Amino acid sequence: GHVWFTVIVDDYSGRIWVKLLNLQSEFGDHLREVIAQLESEMGHDKVVAQLHSDAATYFEKDKTIQDFCRVKGIRQTFSPPGTPALNSVAERTIRTLCEMARANMIHAAAPESLWGEAIIYAAYILNNLPYKQGSNATRNSLFYSQPPPTELPSRLVPFGCAAWAMVKGDGKSVSAPKAKKCIVAGWDERRLSWRLITVQDYSRLKFSGHVTMNMDEFPCRKNKREKDSSEIYDFVTDNDQCRAPVTPDPDDLPVTIAASRGRRAEAPSAQALR
């Protein structure tokens, strides 16, 4: 299925807010949440003057967004169809997020179900890396008017690497494990903890601040190799075609070689292997 996500980008600093959605129509909730957060951090309202987006229906025709912007005094502007250059900051940011998420998932051999987590982590990385070449200022430091950081944050680790999250025991069993193996999906800024995915089926998201990592191990790679090998070698070997001799195709070889080469040893045919 699809993984919908909404991206809000500050035009000056490039600061990114990302949220996963169940439906595209939930963008209005994300917009109100981000603006309320900004008003609380700034200590006053009227922090957003203009909302620019493309002319999609859930941006232009949503009455709840129209009413919210009218009350807040926010001017809505739209890009005409087929002209992403008129919303270049957001469009370039979205493409960068998707390319980073794709690279992370390929590197970790992560399943497609973790696409949303890869997008969230890509946004966190971009917010904490230098915004422009030759400058140490990050999107976060520009947005919050802070001095540029002197070093990269320690929470930038490879997506999908192995992590052992501490497990609270009951104190009765001395053989009970103290940690559970997971994979790293990123850092959660609201919970101040790591976002971890269970290794068995990649279906559960858990949070932990007490984690030991191995950045050289990627459990998804091992699981993928085991799955692929079982699919490749799961074929029948007692088929009559497997014992049939195979001769080279004369069209694939020079005439002199094809005429002089003997018959090959018995080997399964391509059809039998499939």
Side-chain angles (χ1 to χ4, degrees), residues 75-128:
R75 181 189 178 203
Q76 277 191 274
T77 58
F78 306 95
S79 301
T83 53
L86 294 182
N87 196 10
S88 57
V89 175
E91 296 287 353
R92 176 68 257 189
T93 300
I94 292 172
R95 180 176 177 181
T96 302
L97 287 173
C98 292
E99 295 297 333
M100 289 178 64
R102 181 179 291 108
N104 280 333
M105 293 187 64
I106 293 174
H107 178 261
E112 292 185 0
S113 58
L114 299 186
W115 172 252
E117 294 296 326
I119 289 288
I120 294 176
Y121 191 39
Y124 174 78
I125 294 174
L126 284 179
N127 283 334
N128 288 276

Side-chain angles (χ1 to χ4, degrees), residues 46 48-51 66-76:
K46 310 299 183 185
V48 177
Q50 178 175 293
L51 174 64
Q66 293 176 355
D67 294 341
F68 176 77
C69 291
R70 188 179 303 109
V71 171
K72 290 291 184 179
I74 300 174
R75 181 189 178 203
Q76 277 191 274

Side-chain angles (χ1 to χ4, degrees), residues 244-249 252-253 261-267:
V246 178
T247 57
D249 188 350
D252 295 338
L253 297 172
R261 177 172 294 181
R263 297 170 67 88
R264 293 181 182 176
E266 292 187 358

Side-chain angles (χ1 to χ4, degrees), residues 8 76 97 102 104 119 150 156 177 210 217 220 228 274:
I8 297 177
Q76 277 191 274
L97 287 173
R102 181 179 291 108
N104 280 333
I119 289 288
T150 56
L156 298 183
H210 306 278
E217 180 182 354
C220 293
D228 291 348
R274 283 196 296 270

Side-chain angles (χ1 to χ4, degrees), residues 2-272:
H2 295 285
V3 177
W4 301 111
F5 63 93
T6 174
V7 178
I8 297 177
V9 185
D10 176 54
D11 190 55
Y12 165 70
S13 65
R15 177 66 162 83
I16 308 168
W17 292 266
V18 175
K19 184 177 181 180
L20 302 183
L21 308 177
N22 292 320
L23 299 172
Q24 290 178 321
S25 57
E26 295 178 358
F27 167 75
D29 296 334
H30 184 213
L31 175 66
R32 287 188 289 270
E33 178 183 335
V34 170
I35 292 181
Q37 174 188 345
L38 295 179
E39 291 177 349
S40 177
E41 292 176 350
M42 302 296 180
H44 58 86
D45 57 359
K46 310 299 183 185
V47 296
V48 177
Q50 178 175 293
L51 174 64
H52 185 74
S53 62
D54 57 41
T57 302
Y58 44 86
F59 291 140
E60 187 175 10
K61 304 297 183 181
D62 192 320
K63 193 173 186 306
T64 59
I65 297 179
Q66 293 176 355
D67 294 341
F68 176 77
C69 291
R70 188 179 303 109
V71 171
K72 290 291 184 179
I74 300 174
R75 181 189 178 203
Q76 277 191 274
T77 58
F78 306 95
S79 301
T83 53
L86 294 182
N87 196 10
S88 57
V89 175
E91 296 287 353
R92 176 68 257 189
T93 300
I94 292 172
R95 180 176 177 181
T96 302
L97 287 173
C98 292
E99 295 297 333
M100 289 178 64
R102 181 179 291 108
N104 280 333
M105 293 187 64
I106 293 174
H107 178 261
E112 292 185 0
S113 58
L114 299 186
W115 172 252
E117 294 296 326
I119 289 288
I120 294 176
Y121 191 39
Y124 174 78
I125 294 174
L126 284 179
N127 283 334
N128 288 276
L129 289 181
Y131 184 31
K132 295 182 179 180
Q133 186 175 5
S135 173
N136 293 328
T138 65
R139 288 170 167 83
N140 281 339
S141 65
L142 289 173
F143 182 80
Y144 294 109
S145 300
Q146 298 174 347
T150 56
E151 58 184 10
L152 294 176
S154 59
R155 302 186 184 94
L156 298 183
V157 301
F159 179 84
C161 68
W164 283 261
M166 186 181 71
V167 176
K168 289 185 177 181
D170 53 9
K172 298 179 181 180
S173 175
V174 295
S175 61
K178 287 187 175 181
K180 183 176 182 181
K181 189 175 183 179
C182 304
I183 61 176
V184 176
W187 175 259
D188 194 287
E189 295 180 282
R190 297 182 62 183
R191 295 178 175 86
L192 300 179
S193 61
W194 292 100
R195 299 172 69 93
L196 305 173
I197 304 292
T198 54
V199 175
Q200 290 74 16
D201 55 1
Y202 314 119
S203 62
R204 292 193 59 188
L205 176 66
K206 62 181 301 181
F207 304 90
S208 177
H210 306 278
V211 176
T212 300
M213 300 183 188
N214 183 357
M215 300 184 190
D216 297 323
E217 180 182 354
F218 294 85
C220 293
R221 295 180 184 176
K222 179 180 178 181
N223 293 347
K224 188 175 187 299
R225 283 197 300 267
E226 293 175 352
K227 179 181 178 182
D228 291 348
S229 63
S230 64
E231 293 177 353
I232 292 174
Y233 298 107
D234 185 18
F235 57 85
V236 180
T237 58
D238 59 353
N239 192 290
D240 292 338
Q241 294 181 354
C242 295
R243 295 188 290 271
V246 178
T247 57
D249 188 350
D251 295 335
D252 295 338
L253 297 172
V255 176
T256 55
I257 298 178
S260 61
R261 177 172 294 181
R263 297 170 67 88
R264 293 181 182 176
E266 292 187 358
S269 66
Q271 181 178 0

